[in-house]
Amino acid sequence: MTTQASGRDGRLTLEPPRPAGLPGWAPAAGVGALAAAGLILFFASLRGIDVTRMNGLGLLSVLPAGALAGVTLTALAFVAGLALPSANRAVLGATLAGLVVCLDGVTMFIEPEPRFPTAYQIAGYVDYISHAGHSAPGLAAYFSWPGFFALVSFVTGAAGTHGLLTLLRVWPVAIDLLCLPPLFLLMRNLRLSWRARWLAGLLFAVGNWVGQDYFSPQAFGYLLYIVFLAILVNWFIKPGTQRLAALPADTPGRPARSRLGRLDRRLFGALRPGERLSRQASPAQRAFLLALLIALFAVTTASHQLTPFFMIGACLALVVVRRCTLTGLPVLLVVILVGWVSFEAVGYWYGHLSDIFGGLGDLGVNVTSSVGTRLTGSTSTHLLALRAREVLAAAIVGLAVLGALRRRRHGLSDRVLLALLAMPLLMVGLQSYGGEIALRIYLFMLPAACVLAACAFFPSPRPAGPAQPGWLARAGWLDRVGWLARAAWLRRPGLPGLAVLVAGALVLPAVFFLARYGNEAFEQTPPGELAAMNWVYAHDAGGSRLLWLSMSPQTDVTPEMPWDYAGLTRVVYIPTLAPRNPADVAATVAALSGAGPGSYLITTQTEVAALQQTASYPADWGERFEAAMSAAPRVRVAYTTGSAVVYTLYWPTGTPHRPLQLSVAGPTLPANGWNVAAVILLWATLGLLAAREFIRVHRPGSALIRRCTLASLPLLTLLTAAVLLRFVIR
């Protein structure tokens, strides 16, 4: 006997009776218990891990089997939750959050200090603004985008927090958890089943191995990027009309189809939009949301160099595929970005135009520096970790392509997701971005890629109809296993896809740890290294030059140690070539001597690990180098811990100390009449373009929109000329 129930779309569906002796809440409770057992096992196994024993496999080489089994069990519980007859948000949400904590927060529980060297550098910029009250473009290019540093400084100051170490420790897992709500909001206006939505959340958690979630403007900007997309897709979307899609090709008044379009129709038939109409909102609410979009972009523009380009690209891509109602918004965003770079980031581009635009259009070099050079020189063990990244990225993108095809077979056209998936690929033509452009492209493809990849398993947006015999029932296995025969929820269709997901849940956590933490041997922060840096800062009263070992001083300019978190104007970091022969330290001693009195050379456990794993230096290189340095003439050990050694030289009494030559202000914008006029022109253009978009959301179709467009054309022309002249005459 069956019962009738109303589905979410208002249609009546047939539901099977609940099996006798098995309460309706029992399957969800079982999934929750399984997830809780996995989490308990994971955290209980994290005691006593010796992170100093890591090899080229990174964290996976020292992670206990119990911890790996625990996170795998939690992933299996999440997949089991997808097999429930209806979505249990509490169980699925808690399990997904627990997985994120396990995957992205594991180092928070096993490493004594916050990880990742650049996070300490960012903390130093925040500390500088907190104490000085202004940025310092002359010290670092980061200060040309001080928005994030100023915001954190303001928030921590208002909260009365004087140290950032705790924030550095919890930041990765906190930012990754905060990315989930806007991701689900983004999917809310798409025609997806609940299983596809929750699976996309799981794939996003597992696919986000890039490691850009450390305390940084990039992590903050990425969160704002997903919020930006969610607002666009929910309130400013314009799906295509189903009526035209269903008309025959020879219908009068129907636009002519291209040959490719006719082939697509022949293969897939008439397609419905994969997104719903914009969510209902009053004109005032839409105006507020537009203001929020502009504010999000402005904050991102003032905080990070790269993320605004992806925001503009996403908005423009949605306009190009005729899905966004804010057709003029990309122009406004471009003007905001150009205005900031031209008038506020002078310290960044002045004198460095060849470095900034040198990689423009050079696809081969940009791709090679992002992918090929990262594999060169790595040991065979460490190469496995690097290959795991490629495999995981290829798997998600490949599933996304498969999901798009399956959706089309179900009569759905996912223009929004496909546009957001393809748009980041265009960024490869900008520049190599320090050899990281491929990583950033994958990162910004990830939201759309995960949604489409989930559709490879659950392509249909319709809720499941009456329970039908699945493959387990047809094979007769349910009738042989006692209570399973009464569990009608196991008889639902789609279980073959769930079986594939079970297989994925068994391997994905291990692959994630390998891809995400394969560099952990030199991305961790041993306490001894932090103590050594504190000693240097305590002895830098007259200004110090700190030499550190690099495999390529021209390109490898980020030391593998906590650095720059204090004393930005008192310590200068100088990359020095690490000799391939550890006994040949003559050039290293000469470099230390050339730096003058008050200079130091530091060697750390993480530096040596990076040299060994990424450049194939000998396994005993660190011990032999330290022995050679200690025996070198004039060299003395100034400070040592278990993981760091600080060297200096003996100097004759009275040897003068060379002061540091540091410029805090950097190049500035001259306050002449030309620049004042250009700034006024910029604000006038911004005001007119913003007014046009607010009129568009408040009074669609108004004649004022066209008038504002015509009035903005001469202003845009003059502004373009002014900006070009600024870059030419500076």
XYZ file of all heavy atoms in Angstrom, residues 33-43 66-67 69-74 102:
131
model
N 25.351 8.716 13.512
C 26.214 7.941 14.409
C 27.499 7.516 13.707
O 28.586 7.542 14.301
C 25.453 6.717 14.912
N 27.372 7.138 12.441
C 28.560 6.749 11.685
C 29.517 7.925 11.525
O 30.743 7.780 11.681
C 28.144 6.211 10.312
C 29.254 5.639 9.428
C 29.855 4.391 10.059
C 28.703 5.309 8.031
N 28.968 9.115 11.234
C 29.812 10.311 11.101
C 30.465 10.666 12.428
O 31.657 11.010 12.478
C 28.975 11.480 10.589
N 29.709 10.591 13.526
C 30.270 10.904 14.842
C 31.393 9.933 15.201
O 32.433 10.336 15.743
C 29.171 10.861 15.899
N 31.204 8.636 14.879
C 32.253 7.655 15.160
C 33.515 7.970 14.364
O 34.633 7.864 14.880
C 31.742 6.249 14.823
N 33.343 8.378 13.105
C 34.508 8.725 12.296
C 35.243 9.927 12.847
O 36.489 9.948 12.901
N 34.516 10.956 13.273
C 35.157 12.153 13.811
C 35.878 11.849 15.124
O 36.995 12.339 15.365
C 34.112 13.248 14.015
C 33.474 13.818 12.739
C 32.355 14.784 13.086
C 34.526 14.509 11.882
N 35.250 11.058 15.970
C 35.900 10.694 17.240
C 37.186 9.917 16.970
O 38.230 10.174 17.589
C 34.928 9.884 18.109
C 33.763 10.773 18.566
C 35.646 9.284 19.311
C 32.660 10.022 19.290
N 37.126 8.965 16.056
C 38.315 8.185 15.727
C 39.415 9.073 15.151
O 40.597 8.904 15.473
C 37.944 7.088 14.731
C 39.088 6.190 14.225
C 39.755 5.455 15.392
C 38.573 5.194 13.187
N 39.033 10.040 14.319
C 40.017 10.928 13.706
C 40.754 11.740 14.770
O 41.999 11.754 14.817
C 39.323 11.860 12.713
C 40.241 12.884 12.089
C 41.048 12.549 11.016
C 40.299 14.180 12.583
C 41.901 13.486 10.441
C 41.140 15.122 12.024
C 41.943 14.772 10.946
N 40.016 12.426 15.620
C 40.662 13.310 16.590
C 41.375 12.525 17.691
O 42.391 12.982 18.213
C 39.630 14.265 17.192
C 39.134 15.294 16.215
C 37.843 15.240 15.723
C 39.966 16.308 15.773
C 37.391 16.173 14.815
C 39.525 17.259 14.866
C 38.239 17.190 14.376
N 44.673 5.409 12.073
C 43.381 5.660 12.706
C 42.769 6.975 12.268
O 41.552 7.068 12.064
N 43.610 8.016 12.121
C 43.095 9.312 11.671
C 42.584 9.223 10.242
O 41.520 9.764 9.911
C 44.193 10.371 11.783
N 41.531 6.519 8.760
C 40.310 5.709 8.788
C 39.129 6.531 9.297
O 38.000 6.389 8.804
C 40.522 4.482 9.673
N 39.368 7.414 10.258
C 38.286 8.226 10.807
C 37.704 9.194 9.792
O 36.476 9.300 9.647
N 38.561 9.906 9.065
C 38.046 10.863 8.082
C 37.402 10.121 6.910
O 36.415 10.601 6.322
C 39.179 11.803 7.608
C 40.202 11.088 6.755
C 38.606 12.985 6.841
N 37.917 8.944 6.575
C 37.290 8.143 5.522
C 35.911 7.669 5.956
O 34.953 7.675 5.164
C 38.181 6.941 5.171
O 39.472 7.405 4.763
C 37.566 6.118 4.051
N 35.780 7.269 7.215
C 34.484 6.839 7.740
C 33.485 7.996 7.720
O 32.297 7.806 7.407
C 34.659 6.320 9.171
C 33.497 5.509 9.765
C 33.249 4.249 8.961
C 33.805 5.159 11.222
N 33.951 9.198 8.020
C 33.074 10.368 7.972
C 32.616 10.649 6.548
O 31.451 10.998 6.307
C 33.802 11.598 8.543
O 34.330 11.294 9.843
C 32.867 12.779 8.662
N 38.305 18.345 9.590
C 39.321 17.289 9.501
C 40.323 17.577 8.389
O 41.538 17.453 8.580
C 38.653 15.934 9.248
S 37.657 15.306 10.608
